[in-house]
Amino acid sequence: NSLHAFVSEPFSDMLLTRDYFIEVKRLPGAVFDDLPIHYAWEHRFGMLANEFASQRNLESLLDKRVLAIARHDEKTGSSYLATLTAFFENPGDVTAASNQLDVHRNTFTYRIKKIEELFHIDLSSAIDMLNAAFTINVLESISDFANYGS
């Protein structure tokens, strides 16, 4: 049937259902896949982005350096944001990251060094990595929402 259930996260206390339902109502569009049960916690970055965007305050949440990378890529056709994304999706595995981008390992390493140099992101700093990874996740979530239903 076409019944869909939306669950904010796994929970064991039914008394929390109302609070979780309120959280799930914040999901724009609500359906993210073809499964009958949707877990909002899997889309928490998007929920957060949507909440800030509705207040026209989203940019204050994001790392400006990552936004600069996205603007640079758009303007020049470079692939720095995809490179940084592959860096986070394959932590410590240059081979897997370079394979994901279909580039040579040296090209991937060169791009990472250029990202650090051009955009002043220290990828050996936990805070810089957290801020950059968070921003990338939010940007991807926004993109998912923008493409929903199209």
Side-chain angles (χ1 to χ4, degrees):
N1 64 33
S2 63
L3 179 66
H4 287 266
F6 297 91
V7 181
S8 64
E9 62 185 90
F11 60 91
S12 57
D13 185 348
M14 289 303 288
L15 295 176
L16 297 175
T17 305
R18 181 180 183 282
D19 293 336
Y20 288 144
F21 176 70
I22 291 169
E23 179 182 318
V24 171
K25 284 177 36 178
R26 292 183 176 162
L27 287 170
V31 179
F32 298 98
D33 47 47
D34 294 329
L35 301 174
I37 298 179
H38 311 275
Y39 292 97
W41 62 271
E42 293 174 350
H43 306 285
R44 62 191 174 277
F45 292 113
M47 292 170 61
L48 184 59
N50 184 59
E51 192 64 30
F52 269 76
S54 68
Q55 298 172 18
R56 303 186 194 287
N57 198 19
L58 180 60
E59 197 164 317
S60 69
L61 183 67
L62 305 177
D63 188 309
K64 306 303 183 269
R65 298 167 299 178
V66 175
L67 297 178
I69 292 171
R71 284 191 296 271
H72 182 272
D73 282 356
E74 191 173 299
K75 183 178 178 182
T76 66
S78 58
S79 301
Y80 290 132
L81 190 60
T83 301
L84 191 56
T85 301
F87 175 84
F88 291 126
E89 290 176 352
N90 303 281
D93 192 342
V94 173
T95 301
S98 59
N99 287 342
Q100 179 177 326
L101 297 170
D102 199 25
V103 299
H104 191 274
R105 289 172 48 95
N106 293 346
T107 302
F108 175 79
T109 304
Y110 171 80
R111 287 183 188 173
I112 290 298
K113 288 179 183 173
K114 289 303 282 184
I115 289 167
E116 291 181 308
E117 175 187 317
L118 293 174
F119 302 100
H120 309 287
I121 297 176
D122 180 0
L123 293 174
S124 65
S125 161
I127 291 295
D128 276 10
M129 289 194 314
L130 178 64
N131 289 333
F134 174 80
T135 299
I136 288 170
N137 274 286
V138 169
L139 292 175
E140 288 175 349
S141 295
I142 292 169
S143 175
D144 290 344
F145 291 140
N147 294 327
Y148 173 75
S150 58

